[in-house]
Amino acid sequence: MTKAALFDLDGVIADTAVYHLKAWRKLIQDHFNQDVPDGLLAQTKGLSRVDSLNAILSGLDLTVSEEEFARLADEKNDLYRQSLADLNEQGILPGISELLAELRKKDFHLALASASHNAPLILEKLGLSDSFEAIADPRKVGRGKPAPDIFLTAAKGVNCKPEDCIAFEDSAAGITAIKAAGSYAVGIGKQAELNADICFIDTASIDLDEILNNWQENK
Ligand code: BG6
Ligand code: MG
């Protein structure tokens, strides 16, 4: 059996999820003088840039023109990319380099399933550009998370059936996407929020043997 591990990026491989949230908060503060509540911000985790902006504007009852929408999305990306300026190998979350090595040793193919258009840049800054055999390009993927498309594309990229894949995610939308793809969902964060097949509070706590035993038992 060809098996693969599919990875989300922001909040799983790198500690960049928080930069997305900070950029949204600053954008809305600068343009609308409003604070985005934590709960609303959290809902954007895993969503594409456009879906995130839509969710924030509708959550705050704000309406903008198409042109303004595009400008806001661009400005958010500029703010986000500024926060990536100093990102380097130290930005890889604890335990992730070891996890990637362990998976490779166990003959797992590795693929990236991130919604971020900035994923190649981030992988380069982290020194991980050559670590994944396939990187699903969100520009070419139909629907964003919580739809399964990006995970299906990543699995296909390494010639693997989705049911022979385990996938790592820190967002509820991403876990829904993994399950919809028919893969085994490993959550990073609070299980009450994620509803994953198995969950670890942070990347340092990930236990691959536990994951693989549980995956086999539940297949
Ligand atoms: C996901 C993040 O990984 O990428 C989201 O969890 C973000 O917060 C999405 O909106 C898209 O990222 P980018 O870099 O293309 O704006
Ligand atoms: Mg994430």
Side-chain angles (χ1 to χ4, degrees), residues 10 20 44 46-49 52 76 80 114-118:
D10 297 310
H20 280 291
T44 67
L47 303 190
S48 72
R49 198 178 310 157
S52 297
K76 184 270 172 180
Y80 175 65
S114 168
S116 176
H117 292 196
N118 292 295

Side-chain angles (χ1 to χ4, degrees), residues 85-148:
D86 296 331
L87 190 67
N88 59 30
E89 293 176 17
Q90 311 284 328
I92 301 176
L93 279 164
I96 290 297
S97 299
E98 296 79 358
L99 176 66
L100 297 176
E102 242 186 298
L103 283 163
R104 246 180 255 119
K105 223 158 91 189
K106 291 184 190 294
D107 294 326
F108 276 82
H109 294 277
L110 302 182
L112 198 78
S114 168
S116 176
H117 292 196
N118 292 295
L121 169 76
I122 292 174
L123 287 182
E124 194 192 317
K125 283 178 167 277
L126 298 175
L128 294 177
S129 292
D130 297 329
S131 297
F132 296 90
E133 288 162 58
I135 297 175
D137 183 349
R139 291 176 184 82
K140 296 185 185 148
V141 165
R143 300 163 299 169
K145 301 170 187 179

Side-chain angles (χ1 to χ4, degrees), residues 24 27 31-32 49-50 53-54 57 64-78:
W24 285 125
L27 181 87
H31 285 263
F32 304 99
R49 198 178 310 157
V50 165
L53 182 52
N54 268 320
L57 293 176
V64 297
S65 68
E66 231 173 87
E67 295 73 27
E68 175 74 348
F69 188 99
R71 271 199 303 274
L72 288 168
D74 283 350
E75 191 177 324
K76 184 270 172 180
N77 195 42
D78 291 342

Side-chain angles (χ1 to χ4, degrees), residues 8-12 17 45-46 145 169-171:
D8 174 44
L9 174 64
D10 297 310
V12 171
K45 256 192 175 184
K145 301 170 187 179
E169 254 293 345
D170 70 320
S171 73

